[in-house]
């Protein structure tokens, strides 16, 4: 079958790779260059998403942990195990018993892998990890395993695997409209026909449907997330509670510096996808709360737009699950996570394989 994929982010590339493995002739259309948008602006974690346990997203966390294992197994050179410390402060939102329960499930669902399990730490042990950490009311903490990746390089790796088995990737090829009979119209006036089209244009997927006058049962909640890169090396990866909020903050090693993120700001596709000065100040304030005596220099900022399914008033509570919507020969994907891109691609591939025998 001839399959057209719209979007060269991690979801589009993963779908292209797995569909080509089934012998399909796959063409990816990417309006800029591959891996230029959301998939390159993530927190760079292949993770279960400990925080999603609070939203009772048990299925998603379990699947993400399985997918995390799969990425480490497939691409050991581009995935790095990371030990994160979550300090527990007196008066915090998440008491030690709650964290212990969540991390017990996390380790259990992660199953057999080479990552070390969770360990409880005393306050003195937490302070040893980074002596500049705020010691006031620190009661101890937990150390647990996650996996870090370079989202851009790992995405390019997937693209290389796809190209090696025949996928063609057309960059600077913007799709203006699609139809439900396999038609893809490009900005240069060309129209291409495929047996199946997969619209995986991330935050732009719904806009493409609207432009093509195709209805969708779903709504997207576009929520910007920004990160800072600080100049100093990161002594220890941390997960912190944002004081007075339900949100959490990552402090992670990134190349020679420290990655701090993220934020949640609703926006439209017309607004710039860039870290605002408010977000920068917010991230600096939270970082300073935990490291009041560290000199900080911001060397870079970046932002991405989460294409979340609209499921909650508070974007922090919105699901990270994806939804798949089919009309005729057109399949649209909305939502999702980096970690679960191959799980999504397996579902899309199965659906397309089944349509072959139907
Ligand atoms: C701040 C932030 C942090 C995150 N952290 C993590 C994390 O640590 N771990 C995790 O698992 N997930 C994380 N995520 C989620 C994850 O990054 C996204 O779910 C994932 O990258 C979405 O990939 P995608 O391929 O669907 O979208 P994108 O990467 O946005 O790709 C869509 C592509 O479609 C192209 N396109 C759009 N319109 C057209 C058109 N008309 N014609 C042709 N091409 C088009 C775009 O140029 C783009 O390249 C994070 C997200 C954000 C925003």
């Amino acid at each position: 079958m001839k399959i057209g994929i719209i979007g060269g982010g991690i979801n589009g590339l993963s779908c292209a790779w797995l569909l080509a493995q089934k012998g399909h002739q796959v063409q990816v259309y990417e309006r800029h260059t591959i891996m230029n948008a959301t998939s390159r602006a993530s927190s760079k974690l292949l993770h279960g998403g400990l925080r999603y346990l609070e939203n009772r997203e048990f299925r998603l966390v379990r699947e993400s942990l399985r997918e995390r294992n799969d990425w480490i197994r497939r691409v050991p050179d581009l995935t790095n195990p990371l030990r994160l410390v979550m300090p527990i402060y007196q008066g915090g939102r998440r008491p030690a018993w709650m964290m212990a329960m969540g991390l017990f499930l996390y380790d259990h669902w992660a199953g057999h892998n080479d990552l070390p399990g969770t360990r409880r730490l005393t306050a003195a042990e937490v302070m040893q990890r980074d002596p500049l950490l705020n010691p006031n009311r620190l009661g101890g903490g937990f150390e647990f395993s996650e996996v870090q990746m370079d989202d851009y390089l790992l995405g390019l790796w997937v693209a290389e695997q796809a190209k090696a088995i025949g996928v063609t990737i057309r960059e600077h090829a913007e799709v203006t409209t699609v139809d439900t009979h396999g038609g893809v119209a490009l900005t240069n006036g060309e129209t291409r026909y495929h047996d199946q089209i997969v619209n995986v244009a991330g935050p732009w997927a719904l806009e493409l449907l609207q432009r093509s006058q195709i209805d969708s049962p779903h709504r997207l909640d576009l929520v910007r997330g920004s990160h800072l890169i600080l100049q100093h090396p990161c002594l220890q990866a941390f997960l912190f509670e944002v004081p007075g909020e339900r949100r959490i903050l990552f402090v992670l090693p990134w190349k020679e510096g420290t990655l701090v993120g993220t934020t949640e700001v609703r926006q439209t596709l017309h607004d710039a996808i860039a870290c605002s000065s408010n977000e920068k100040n917010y991230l600096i304030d939270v970082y300073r709360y935990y490291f009041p005596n560290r000199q900080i220099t911001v060397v870079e900022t970046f932002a991405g737009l989460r294409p979340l399914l609209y499921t909650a008033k508070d974007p922090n509570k919105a699901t990270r699950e994806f939804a798949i919507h089919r009309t005729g020969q057109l399949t649209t994907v909305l939502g999702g996570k980096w970690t679960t891109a191959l799980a999504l691609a397996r579902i899309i591939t199965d659906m397309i394989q089944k349509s072959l025998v139907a």
Side-chain angles (χ1 to χ4, degrees):
M1 251 202 279
K2 283 189 180 171
I3 301 177
I5 308 260
I6 303 161
I10 191 56
N11 284 326
L13 295 170
S14 299
C15 289
W17 183 25
L18 298 205
L19 283 163
Q21 284 177 19
K22 296 285 176 195
H24 299 294
Q25 211 179 310
V26 186
Q27 162 94 68
V28 176
Y29 298 96
E30 167 52 53
R31 64 174 177 177
H32 298 307
T33 49
I34 57 167
M35 293 300 293
N36 77 87
T38 327
S39 302
R40 155 172 217 176
S42 78
S43 301
K44 306 175 196 307
L45 290 174
L46 293 166
H47 64 158
L50 189 56
R51 193 178 65 71
Y52 308 139
L53 289 177
E54 292 173 353
N55 294 350
R56 298 172 195 273
E57 298 213 64
F58 303 126
R59 196 211 70 81
L60 176 69
V61 174
R62 228 174 147 154
E63 175 180 67
S64 304
L65 288 166
R66 270 200 310 266
E67 293 301 304
R68 185 181 79 172
N69 289 349
D70 191 38
W71 282 112
I72 315 175
R73 189 183 51 75
R74 280 178 192 264
V75 210
D77 296 351
L78 290 176
T79 52
N80 295 311
L82 186 71
R83 294 292 277 169
L84 259 99
V85 169
M86 167 116 190
I88 304 289
Y89 286 88
Q90 285 155 30
R93 248 168 213 261
R94 296 162 182 93
W97 65 263
M98 190 193 275
M99 286 307 301
M101 245 171 66
L103 285 163
F104 171 78
L105 284 178
Y106 215 63
D107 281 350
H108 180 63
W109 287 340
H112 294 292
N113 55 33
D114 293 334
L115 303 176
T118 297
R119 212 165 78 78
R120 186 96 189 241
L121 302 176
T122 62
E125 283 173 319
V126 176
M127 288 307 297
Q128 270 167 17
R129 304 306 172 90
D130 190 330
L132 287 186
L133 183 68
N134 188 343
N136 295 334
R137 299 166 70 85
L138 179 66
F142 290 89
E143 183 186 48
F144 63 100
S145 288
E146 285 294 11
V147 174
Q148 196 177 35
M149 47 135 179
D150 182 325
D151 47 9
Y152 182 60
L153 292 186
L154 191 53
L156 293 188
W157 179 88
V158 173
E160 285 311 311
Q161 308 312 300
K163 284 200 269 183
I165 53 168
V167 170
T168 342
I169 299 180
R170 252 178 96 171
E171 294 186 311
H172 307 291
E174 178 163 6
V175 174
T176 47
T177 54
V178 284
D179 64 45
T180 57
H181 308 291
V184 167
L186 301 172
T187 35
N188 65 3
E190 207 183 323
T191 301
R192 291 297 205 92
Y193 290 94
H194 303 272
D195 299 308
Q196 294 284 336
I197 305 173
V198 189
N199 167 16
V200 244
W204 299 273
L206 209 55
E207 187 200 39
L208 178 60
L209 288 189
Q210 281 157 0
R211 242 185 1 245
S212 312
Q213 300 189 328
I214 297 169
D215 290 335
S216 166
H218 305 286
R219 270 172 70 195
L220 274 185
D221 196 0
L222 300 175
V223 182
R224 185 172 69 237
S226 292
H227 290 88
L228 309 178
I229 298 179
L230 309 181
Q231 192 173 37
H232 65 266
C234 182
L235 299 181
Q236 168 65 53
F238 283 106
L239 182 65
F240 290 115
E241 292 191 324
V242 175
E245 290 183 41
R246 196 174 175 264
R247 307 196 61 256
I248 49 113
L249 186 92
F250 287 116
V251 172
L252 305 170
W254 183 242
K255 303 197 170 152
E256 281 78 47
T258 300
L259 181 72
V260 178
T262 173
T263 57
E264 283 171 318
V265 181
R266 277 202 169 110
Q267 67 163 81
T268 69
L269 288 178
H270 303 293
D271 304 317
I273 307 174
C275 177
S276 67
S277 52
N278 276 351
E279 287 170 278
K280 186 173 168 186
N281 292 337
Y282 169 89
L283 292 171
I284 291 176
D285 285 351
V286 183
Y287 186 85
R288 282 233 171 88
Y289 178 87
Y290 286 107
F291 298 101
N293 297 320
R294 177 162 279 137
Q295 280 283 336
I296 65 170
T297 309
V298 178
V299 287
E300 196 186 318
T301 65
F302 64 87
L305 196 53
R306 300 179 186 87
L308 305 182
L309 286 173
Y310 189 90
T311 46
K313 256 189 179 169
D314 175 358
N316 191 250
K317 292 186 182 162
T319 181
R320 264 52 176 180
E321 292 270 11
F322 49 76
I324 298 171
H325 165 227
R326 289 194 92 185
T327 349
Q329 287 152 254
L330 171 69
T331 303
T332 297
V333 174
L334 299 166
K337 285 177 67 177
W338 216 110
T339 311
T340 51
L342 288 172
L344 165 75
R346 278 194 294 273
I347 295 174
I348 298 287
T349 307
D350 281 355
M351 284 172 83
I352 288 183
Q353 288 301 102
K354 280 187 188 135
S355 70
L356 267 177
V357 287

Short mmCIF file of all heavy atoms in Angstrom, two decimals, residues 12 26 29 61 64 68 74 83 152-153 197 227 232 255 269 278 281 304 309 337 339 346 348:
data_model
loop_
_atom_site.label_atom_id
_atom_site.label_comp_id
_atom_site.label_asym_id
_atom_site.label_seq_id
_atom_site.Cartn_x
_atom_site.Cartn_y
_atom_site.Cartn_z
N GLY A 12 5.31 10.75 13.75
CA GLY A 12 5.27 10.50 12.31
C GLY A 12 6.39 9.57 11.88
O GLY A 12 6.18 8.62 11.11
N VAL A 26 6.15 4.08 1.99
CA VAL A 26 5.78 5.19 2.88
C VAL A 26 6.49 6.49 2.49
O VAL A 26 7.70 6.52 2.27
CB VAL A 26 6.12 4.85 4.36
CG1 VAL A 26 5.62 5.93 5.30
CG2 VAL A 26 5.53 3.50 4.77
N TYR A 29 5.65 13.66 4.78
CA TYR A 29 5.65 15.08 4.38
C TYR A 29 5.93 15.90 5.63
O TYR A 29 5.21 15.80 6.62
CB TYR A 29 4.28 15.50 3.84
CG TYR A 29 3.88 14.74 2.59
CD1 TYR A 29 3.07 13.62 2.68
CD2 TYR A 29 4.31 15.16 1.35
CE1 TYR A 29 2.70 12.92 1.54
CE2 TYR A 29 3.94 14.47 0.19
CZ TYR A 29 3.14 13.35 0.30
OH TYR A 29 2.78 12.66 -0.82
N VAL A 61 0.98 4.95 32.57
CA VAL A 61 2.27 4.86 33.27
C VAL A 61 2.89 3.48 33.03
O VAL A 61 4.08 3.35 32.71
CB VAL A 61 2.12 5.15 34.78
CG1 VAL A 61 3.42 4.91 35.53
CG2 VAL A 61 1.63 6.58 34.99
N SER A 64 4.08 3.26 29.46
CA SER A 64 5.27 4.10 29.24
C SER A 64 6.51 3.44 29.83
O SER A 64 7.60 3.53 29.26
CB SER A 64 5.08 5.48 29.89
OG SER A 64 3.92 6.09 29.40
N ARG A 68 9.75 2.51 27.87
CA ARG A 68 11.07 2.99 28.32
C ARG A 68 12.07 1.84 28.22
O ARG A 68 13.17 2.01 27.68
CB ARG A 68 10.94 3.47 29.78
CG ARG A 68 12.16 4.09 30.35
CD ARG A 68 11.93 4.51 31.79
NE ARG A 68 12.01 3.37 32.72
CZ ARG A 68 12.00 3.48 34.04
NH1 ARG A 68 11.88 4.66 34.62
NH2 ARG A 68 12.09 2.42 34.81
N ARG A 74 16.56 -1.17 22.51
CA ARG A 74 16.80 -0.93 21.09
C ARG A 74 17.98 -0.01 20.84
O ARG A 74 18.72 -0.19 19.88
CB ARG A 74 15.59 -0.22 20.46
CG ARG A 74 14.43 -1.09 20.12
CD ARG A 74 13.33 -0.17 19.58
NE ARG A 74 12.06 -0.82 19.47
CZ ARG A 74 11.60 -1.38 18.35
NH1 ARG A 74 12.32 -1.38 17.26
NH2 ARG A 74 10.41 -1.93 18.34
N ARG A 83 19.68 8.64 37.73
CA ARG A 83 19.09 8.53 39.07
C ARG A 83 18.55 9.90 39.45
O ARG A 83 19.30 10.89 39.45
CB ARG A 83 20.13 8.07 40.10
CG ARG A 83 20.62 6.66 39.85
CD ARG A 83 19.57 5.60 40.09
NE ARG A 83 19.44 5.22 41.48
CZ ARG A 83 18.44 4.47 41.94
NH1 ARG A 83 17.49 4.03 41.13
NH2 ARG A 83 18.39 4.15 43.22
N TYR A 152 16.41 15.00 19.97
CA TYR A 152 16.68 15.29 18.55
C TYR A 152 17.47 14.13 17.92
O TYR A 152 17.08 13.59 16.88
CB TYR A 152 17.45 16.61 18.45
CG TYR A 152 17.74 17.03 17.04
CD1 TYR A 152 16.69 17.27 16.14
CD2 TYR A 152 19.04 17.20 16.59
CE1 TYR A 152 16.95 17.66 14.83
CE2 TYR A 152 19.31 17.60 15.28
CZ TYR A 152 18.25 17.82 14.41
OH TYR A 152 18.51 18.20 13.12
N LEU A 153 18.55 13.70 18.59
CA LEU A 153 19.38 12.64 18.01
C LEU A 153 18.64 11.31 17.93
O LEU A 153 18.77 10.57 16.96
CB LEU A 153 20.68 12.47 18.82
CG LEU A 153 21.67 13.63 18.74
CD1 LEU A 153 22.95 13.28 19.47
CD2 LEU A 153 21.97 13.98 17.28
N ILE A 197 -3.71 7.77 4.55
CA ILE A 197 -2.95 8.94 5.03
C ILE A 197 -2.98 8.90 6.56
O ILE A 197 -4.03 8.61 7.16
CB ILE A 197 -3.61 10.27 4.61
CG1 ILE A 197 -3.82 10.32 3.10
CG2 ILE A 197 -2.77 11.46 5.06
CD1 ILE A 197 -4.61 11.54 2.69
N HIS A 227 11.67 25.52 28.97
CA HIS A 227 12.82 25.06 29.76
C HIS A 227 13.90 26.12 29.73
O HIS A 227 13.99 26.89 28.77
CB HIS A 227 13.42 23.79 29.15
CG HIS A 227 12.58 22.57 29.27
ND1 HIS A 227 11.62 22.23 28.35
CD2 HIS A 227 12.57 21.59 30.21
CE1 HIS A 227 11.05 21.09 28.71
NE2 HIS A 227 11.61 20.67 29.84
N HIS A 232 25.86 26.22 34.85
CA HIS A 232 26.65 25.36 35.73
C HIS A 232 26.32 23.88 35.54
O HIS A 232 25.18 23.54 35.22
CB HIS A 232 26.46 25.77 37.20
CG HIS A 232 25.05 25.55 37.67
ND1 HIS A 232 24.10 26.53 37.64
CD2 HIS A 232 24.44 24.46 38.17
CE1 HIS A 232 22.96 26.04 38.10
NE2 HIS A 232 23.15 24.78 38.43
N LYS A 255 24.09 18.15 28.72
CA LYS A 255 25.41 18.45 28.18
C LYS A 255 26.29 18.98 29.32
O LYS A 255 26.34 18.35 30.36
CB LYS A 255 25.28 19.38 26.98
CG LYS A 255 24.36 18.69 25.95
CD LYS A 255 24.43 19.22 24.59
CE LYS A 255 23.65 18.25 23.70
NZ LYS A 255 23.06 18.81 22.54
N LEU A 269 -2.37 28.54 18.18
CA LEU A 269 -1.32 28.31 17.18
C LEU A 269 -0.77 29.63 16.65
O LEU A 269 0.28 29.66 16.01
CB LEU A 269 -1.86 27.46 16.03
CG LEU A 269 -2.12 26.00 16.35
CD1 LEU A 269 -2.70 25.28 15.14
CD2 LEU A 269 -0.84 25.29 16.80
N ASN A 278 7.86 35.89 31.67
CA ASN A 278 7.17 35.41 32.87
C ASN A 278 7.57 33.97 33.20
O ASN A 278 7.80 33.62 34.36
CB ASN A 278 5.65 35.41 32.66
CG ASN A 278 5.07 36.77 32.93
OD1 ASN A 278 5.77 37.65 33.43
ND2 ASN A 278 3.80 36.94 32.57
N ASN A 281 11.11 33.86 34.53
CA ASN A 281 11.19 34.29 35.94
C ASN A 281 10.61 33.24 36.88
O ASN A 281 11.13 33.00 37.96
CB ASN A 281 10.44 35.62 36.14
CG ASN A 281 11.17 36.75 35.44
OD1 ASN A 281 12.37 36.64 35.18
ND2 ASN A 281 10.45 37.80 35.09
N GLY A 304 8.19 24.21 23.77
CA GLY A 304 7.44 23.32 22.86
C GLY A 304 5.97 23.42 23.21
O GLY A 304 5.61 23.87 24.31
N LEU A 309 -4.95 16.23 24.64
CA LEU A 309 -6.39 16.07 24.42
C LEU A 309 -7.09 16.93 25.45
O LEU A 309 -6.71 16.90 26.64
CB LEU A 309 -6.79 14.61 24.64
CG LEU A 309 -6.39 13.64 23.55
CD1 LEU A 309 -6.71 12.22 24.00
CD2 LEU A 309 -7.11 13.97 22.25
N LYS A 337 2.75 11.03 24.00
CA LYS A 337 4.03 11.33 24.66
C LYS A 337 5.17 10.86 23.76
O LYS A 337 4.97 9.95 22.95
CB LYS A 337 4.17 10.50 25.94
CG LYS A 337 3.36 10.95 27.12
CD LYS A 337 3.57 9.96 28.27
CE LYS A 337 5.01 10.00 28.81
NZ LYS A 337 5.21 9.12 29.96
N THR A 339 7.76 9.12 24.79
CA THR A 339 8.09 7.76 25.25
C THR A 339 7.24 6.70 24.55
O THR A 339 7.72 5.60 24.28
CB THR A 339 7.89 7.68 26.78
OG1 THR A 339 8.57 8.79 27.37
CG2 THR A 339 8.40 6.38 27.36
N ARG A 346 2.68 1.15 16.62
CA ARG A 346 2.22 -0.24 16.51
C ARG A 346 0.71 -0.28 16.32
O ARG A 346 0.19 -1.06 15.53
CB ARG A 346 2.62 -1.03 17.77
CG ARG A 346 4.08 -1.52 17.72
CD ARG A 346 4.35 -2.56 18.77
NE ARG A 346 4.24 -2.02 20.12
CZ ARG A 346 5.25 -1.43 20.78
NH1 ARG A 346 6.42 -1.30 20.22
NH2 ARG A 346 5.07 -0.97 21.99
N ILE A 348 -1.24 2.12 15.03
CA ILE A 348 -1.56 2.63 13.68
C ILE A 348 -1.27 1.54 12.65
O ILE A 348 -2.06 1.29 11.74
CB ILE A 348 -0.72 3.91 13.37
CG1 ILE A 348 -1.06 5.03 14.35
CG2 ILE A 348 -0.87 4.34 11.92
CD1 ILE A 348 -2.40 5.68 14.14
#
